[in-house]
């Protein structure tokens, strides 16, 4: 279902009224397979997600009308002018490669990432899953391996 919604333009980085993303909800409902599936989907369609964010940025203002949320003509003209310039095209391509979406770093209104949310909820299953997903092999010698874990400081 998530893949179908995403293929038709659903944003994976949107937040509900509490600031929770899809990953926060997976932690809350104890859905480790769905958590991993969403992150795999983000890895697979990284370019499309970055393009969606550039085309339609999320506004933090809750009380804006739909008309006010539309991009202004001036910003549209500036975007077109940037894309027309050959020097800017190569610069935009390098910026796109550097810019990666990180759903795991998005915080909710309680200032919690999915990792800290799992810790606060006391959900060891999800906590272990999130930490293991960030595990990287530093070296391997026979059946002995040394791992390091990427943990964001919140």
């Amino acid at each position: 279902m998530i893949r179908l919604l995403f293929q038709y333009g659903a944003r994976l980085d949107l937040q509900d009224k509490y600031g929770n993303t899809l990953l926060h909800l997976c932690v809350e409902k104890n859905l480790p397979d769905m958590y991993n599936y969403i992150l795999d989907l983000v890895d697979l369609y990284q370019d499309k997600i970055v393009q969606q964010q550039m085309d339609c940025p999320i506004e933090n203002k809750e009380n804006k009308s739909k008309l006010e949320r539309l991009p202004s003509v001036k910003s549209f003209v500036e975007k077109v002018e940037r894309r027309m310039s050959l020097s800017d095209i190569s610069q935009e391509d390098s910026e796109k490669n550097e810019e990666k979406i990180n759903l795991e770093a998005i915080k909710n209104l309680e200032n919690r990432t999915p990792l800290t949310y799992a810790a606060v909820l006391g959900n060891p299953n999800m906590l272990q899953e999130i930490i293991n997903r960030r595990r990287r092999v530093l070296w391997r010698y026979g059946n002995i391996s040394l791992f390091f874990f990427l943990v964001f400081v919140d």
Side-chain angles (χ1 to χ4, degrees), residues 22-32 117 121 123 126:
L22 286 172
L23 296 182
H24 288 93
L25 296 175
C26 289
V27 167
E28 186 176 314
K29 302 297 182 190
N30 196 21
L31 301 170
Y117 194 46
L121 291 177
N123 190 341
M126 283 302 299

Side-chain angles (χ1 to χ4, degrees), residues 81-137:
E81 287 175 350
R82 265 189 277 132
R83 290 185 180 173
M84 296 297 283
S85 169
L86 291 176
S87 62
D88 286 344
I89 289 175
S90 62
Q91 185 179 2
E92 280 183 16
D93 289 341
S94 66
E95 286 175 4
K96 261 188 201 177
N97 292 336
E98 292 174 7
E99 185 178 343
K100 287 191 142 193
I101 184 170
N102 187 359
L103 287 181
E104 290 184 297
I106 298 175
K107 296 180 179 180
N108 63 12
L109 294 180
E110 295 175 339
N111 205 26
R112 295 186 178 130
T113 62
L115 176 67
T116 56
Y117 194 46
V120 167
L121 291 177
N123 190 341
N125 184 30
M126 283 302 299
L127 195 58
Q128 187 67 40
E129 191 68 37
I130 294 169
I131 290 173
N132 281 339
R133 182 161 178 90
R134 296 177 182 187
R135 178 178 67 183
R136 302 290 183 264
V137 176

Side-chain angles (χ1 to χ4, degrees), residues 10-144:
R11 301 261 317 252
L12 298 176
D13 59 335
L14 291 179
Q15 296 173 288
D16 64 9
K17 67 180 181 179
Y18 304 108
N20 293 328
T21 63
L22 286 172
L23 296 182
H24 288 93
L25 296 175
C26 289
V27 167
E28 186 176 314
K29 302 297 182 190
N30 196 21
L31 301 170
D33 294 335
M34 185 61 67
Y35 187 94
N36 287 323
Y37 181 75
I38 291 168
L39 291 177
D40 291 341
L41 197 62
V42 168
D43 290 341
L44 188 61
Y45 294 104
Q46 188 70 242
D47 295 335
K48 183 176 179 179
I49 293 170
V50 170
Q51 186 62 41
Q52 279 180 338
Q53 287 182 333
M54 289 174 55
D55 291 344
C56 182
I58 299 172
E59 295 290 335
N60 288 334
K61 311 259 177 167
E62 295 176 10
N63 297 328
K64 279 192 167 186
S65 69
K66 288 182 181 178
L67 184 60
E68 290 173 318
R69 282 185 254 153
L70 292 174
S72 67
V73 174
K74 183 178 178 183
S75 66
F76 176 76
V77 170
E78 289 172 356
K79 190 183 285 187
V80 169
E81 287 175 350
R82 265 189 277 132
R83 290 185 180 173
M84 296 297 283
S85 169
L86 291 176
S87 62
D88 286 344
I89 289 175
S90 62
Q91 185 179 2
E92 280 183 16
D93 289 341
S94 66
E95 286 175 4
K96 261 188 201 177
N97 292 336
E98 292 174 7
E99 185 178 343
K100 287 191 142 193
I101 184 170
N102 187 359
L103 287 181
E104 290 184 297
I106 298 175
K107 296 180 179 180
N108 63 12
L109 294 180
E110 295 175 339
N111 205 26
R112 295 186 178 130
T113 62
L115 176 67
T116 56
Y117 194 46
V120 167
L121 291 177
N123 190 341
N125 184 30
M126 283 302 299
L127 195 58
Q128 187 67 40
E129 191 68 37
I130 294 169
I131 290 173
N132 281 339
R133 182 161 178 90
R134 296 177 182 187
R135 178 178 67 183
R136 302 290 183 264
V137 176
L138 190 58
W139 57 262
R140 197 177 298 241
Y141 184 74
N143 63 351
I144 301 171

